[in-house]
Amino acid sequence: MAPIPPGIRLLVSFNRDQWYRALTFILTFLLYTSFHLSRKPISIVKSELHKNCSSVSELATIASSSSSSSDSQQPSLPSLHTDMDCSWKPFDKNNYKQLLGAMDYSFLCAYAVGMYLSGIIGERLPIRLYLTVGMLTSGLFTCLFGLGYVYNIHSLGFYIFVQVANGLVQTTGWPSVVTCIGNWFGKGRRGLIMGLWNSHTSVGNILGSLIAGYWVSSNWGLSFIVPGLIIAAMGVVCFLFLIERECSLLISWWQVRTKNWNGVNGHAEVYLQYKNSKTQVYDTELLLPRDSVCVPVQPVVVVKSESEPSAISFIGALRIPGVIEFSLCLLFAKLVSYTFLFWLPLYITKAAHLDAKKAGDLSTLFDVGGIVGGILAGVISDKLGKRATTCAVMLLLAAPTLYGFSMISEFGQGPTIGMLLVCGGLVNGPYALITTAVSADLGTHKSLKGNARALSTVTAIIDGTGSVGAALGPLLAGLLSAGGWDQVFYMLMTADFLALVLLLRLVTKELSSTKSRPISTVE
């Protein structure tokens, strides 16, 4: 008999529960990748919405002069070329930075406001359906922005409306996927697992940059339509495959029913409860093994609470130790991260004098560094058991690195590439750790006494507060960049310093602890 291939041995070594964990990990990773993929195009298309009109005019004049010497019928080409290839109205004015900043602000402000409501709503609705509806509507509004190019729409109000609507519906994503991943994975190696998982943010940004950059110079409408179709398609996948939580306690339930067990030691009423609840557990049984199993020798004891724990209130979530500090810290950390997200391609275009596609491709290196930074932050915080200290050290290193990037980016692509990788790791490391492992830890804090219905609300409060900073960052960047990019970098360094200050109490508490233990400040 031929030996079983080692690959098959590996596959069968995992039990059903482990396979569903892997499915949840991969699926939620892909779902939120599509969210960030659909947010990225606006930063790539900015340099196309407002081109360097003076350069275009000069090129058009030179081309028309050379053509008019050979053909006297070509003098009308300069104005036609300039009108077609220069800026997209209404972003063709001198205040284009403020208008582009207003678009960012409208999306992020709606996102911040909606996030507080999203967590509360998400605790009370089926996550799978809630997330599916959010992804489908987000796909709709992302495509709608791209249709502005197809139908030649030049109304600022139209683009602001689409950004606001998209910001609101995108709030369904983060609380839902963090709740799912938190339900399936415990605290043991949460920093590492969520550090790997949170790379979906950077992967989505990279894919969004590449997809948007492919069409930005020829048809920027497709830079939005294609990502919109992708997130809508992933919404259908979510509806078909997402499993919200682990149902391991129901395995014993199913084992009892498969043997038509009529009771042990007088516990026949337990079986009757299972039998009468058949319609309620049909979906769960589909997830469990269908093999013949034996009834345990010991009687099965079912403990039924009088009532399910109620979802936590907004004020109750704020009372969890560490929620306020980490929320305010994330406000400034996310301000820095989202300023890079929305303005980095345009900055590279102006500083390195590259076209929109090359600048978009180069900006993906910031996200590559972010992947490494998020994983390192998770691994280090798991090993040391000190989440706040890990964030504080990375924030302390990030501020001088940002200053170095503003200086080195003018010396060519080589130094710029290196600094983009380092900045991405130090800026996104604390942001990734707080929004994932820290949020999940706080959502299952010991003060909740086992109430698992707080994770979505806590996640929404932390990320919602961070989103206030995400809204302010691009807006301030648009205002300050008019006086020079140096002012933008000073603002970013100040934000990093304030984020560090807000964590000092938790850092002091962690460092004063005599015993290293996981997430000591948020247990």
Side-chain angles (χ1 to χ4, degrees):
M1 181 177 179
I4 299 176
I8 300 300
R9 288 180 182 273
L10 177 65
L11 293 176
V12 300
S13 66
F14 297 101
N15 58 37
R16 185 70 64 92
D17 183 63
Q18 290 171 324
W19 279 114
Y20 283 123
R21 285 175 186 269
L23 172 64
T24 302
F25 183 94
I26 295 171
L27 183 57
T28 53
F29 181 96
L30 294 175
L31 293 179
Y32 210 72
T33 294
S34 66
F35 272 95
H36 262 265
L37 182 149
S38 66
R39 295 178 196 173
K40 187 64 179 179
I42 184 64
S43 65
I44 304 299
V45 173
K46 276 180 181 177
S47 55
E48 190 70 18
L49 293 178
H50 183 89
K51 289 185 175 181
N52 190 338
C53 295
S54 59
S55 298
V56 173
S57 299
E58 290 174 5
L59 292 175
T61 304
I62 294 172
S64 64
S65 299
S66 60
S67 61
S68 61
S69 61
S70 59
D71 189 348
S72 58
Q73 296 182 353
Q74 299 295 326
S76 61
L77 284 178
S79 60
L80 178 62
H81 179 82
T82 303
D83 291 341
M84 291 177 61
D85 289 347
C86 200
S87 302
W88 182 269
K89 295 179 181 180
F91 307 104
D92 56 341
K93 308 299 182 184
N94 291 331
N95 65 338
Y96 72 97
K97 290 182 180 179
Q98 287 77 14
L99 297 181
L100 293 173
M103 282 208 305
D104 296 338
Y105 183 74
S106 61
F107 172 88
L108 294 168
C109 191
Y111 186 86
V113 173
M115 184 61 73
Y116 290 108
L117 300 175
S118 179
I120 297 173
I121 297 172
E123 294 284 9
R124 294 159 173 80
L125 294 177
I127 292 176
R128 180 172 61 91
L129 299 180
Y130 184 57
L131 187 55
T132 298
V133 172
M135 297 183 77
L136 291 175
T137 51
S138 180
L140 171 65
F141 289 118
T142 303
C143 289
L144 199 59
F145 196 107
L147 291 176
Y149 176 87
V150 177
Y151 292 101
N152 204 30
I153 298 174
H154 296 278
S155 169
L156 179 64
F158 169 80
Y159 296 108
I160 294 292
F161 165 76
V162 172
Q163 288 287 84
V164 170
N166 202 13
L168 289 174
V169 298
Q170 286 232 345
T171 60
T172 60
W174 189 245
S176 300
V177 295
V178 172
T179 300
C180 283
I181 205 75
N183 287 338
W184 279 92
F185 294 93
K187 287 187 177 182
R189 302 176 68 184
R190 184 172 278 169
L192 171 61
I193 292 171
M194 288 197 160
L196 292 168
W197 177 75
N198 192 65
S199 62
H200 54 52
T201 299
S202 298
V203 172
N205 290 340
I206 292 170
L207 293 177
S209 297
L210 296 177
I211 292 173
Y214 185 81
W215 283 289
V216 64
S217 299
S218 57
N219 183 347
W220 62 258
L222 290 176
S223 296
F224 289 92
I225 293 173
V226 173
L229 294 176
I230 291 174
I231 190 174
M234 290 305 299
V236 176
V237 173
C238 171
F239 177 78
L240 295 175
F241 296 105
L242 183 65
I243 305 170
E244 298 179 15
R245 66 183 72 248
E246 185 178 9
C247 304
S248 57
L249 291 179
L250 294 175
I251 296 178
S252 295
W253 184 342
W254 184 84
Q255 289 175 338
V256 170
R257 297 180 62 210
T258 52
K259 285 295 184 178
N260 293 323
W261 180 55
N262 291 318
V264 175
N265 297 334
H267 292 283
E269 70 279 1
V270 175
Y271 168 71
L272 293 177
Q273 289 179 2
Y274 295 146
K275 185 175 181 180
N276 293 335
S277 302
K278 181 176 181 180
T279 57
Q280 298 177 9
V281 300
Y282 175 73
D283 288 345
T284 301
E285 289 183 0
L286 293 176
L287 307 179
L288 302 177
R290 298 181 181 274
D291 303 331
S292 177
V293 294
C294 297
V295 177
V297 176
Q298 297 295 327
V300 177
V301 179
V302 177
V303 180
K304 182 179 179 181
S305 60
E306 294 298 326
S307 61
E308 290 189 10
S310 59
I312 193 171
S313 66
F314 184 86
I315 300 299
L318 287 177
R319 290 176 180 155
I320 299 173
V323 167
I324 294 178
E325 288 94 336
F326 277 112
S327 296
L328 294 176
C329 173
L330 185 63
L331 186 151
F332 293 103
K334 204 167 181 178
L335 182 152
V336 178
S337 180
Y338 267 64
T339 300
F340 273 93
L341 174 67
F342 283 91
W343 285 94
L344 182 58
L346 182 61
Y347 170 74
I348 294 175
T349 300
K350 303 300 182 183
H353 306 289
L354 299 176
D355 60 31
K357 186 180 185 307
K358 290 181 179 178
D361 293 343
L362 191 60
S363 69
T364 60
L365 295 174
F366 180 83
D367 296 299
V368 173
I371 294 175
V372 178
I375 295 173
L376 282 178
V379 171
I380 294 171
S381 65
D382 276 345
K383 188 173 182 62
L384 299 178
K386 303 180 189 303
R387 307 277 202 228
T389 305
T390 303
C391 292
V393 171
M394 299 187 81
L395 289 169
L396 183 63
L397 296 174
T401 305
L402 290 173
Y403 180 77
F405 175 70
S406 67
M407 298 291 102
I408 293 177
S409 57
E410 299 177 1
F411 292 98
Q413 290 191 25
T416 301
I417 289 172
M419 291 303 296
L420 278 173
L421 292 170
V422 176
C423 285
L426 294 175
V427 168
N428 285 339
Y431 162 45
L433 186 62
I434 293 173
T435 54
T436 55
V438 170
S439 296
D441 289 338
L442 292 171
T444 55
H445 193 270
K446 64 182 181 182
S447 65
L448 297 172
K449 299 178 180 179
N451 184 356
R453 300 189 64 189
L455 185 53
S456 181
T457 301
V458 170
T459 301
I461 289 174
I462 292 176
D463 198 53
T465 305
S467 297
V468 174
L472 290 174
L475 176 66
L476 292 175
L479 297 174
L480 295 175
S481 60
W485 289 102
D486 287 344
Q487 296 184 26
V488 176
F489 281 97
Y490 291 142
M491 180 264 291
L492 298 179
M493 288 185 282
T494 302
D496 262 331
F497 175 76
L498 293 174
L500 173 61
V501 170
L502 289 164
L503 285 183
L504 288 180
R505 187 187 73 84
L506 298 180
V507 171
T508 303
K509 181 179 178 181
E510 287 183 345
L511 295 179
S512 62
S513 176
T514 57
K515 181 180 178 181
S516 176
R517 50 199 176 99
I519 196 62
S520 57
T521 58
V522 293
E523 278 188 339

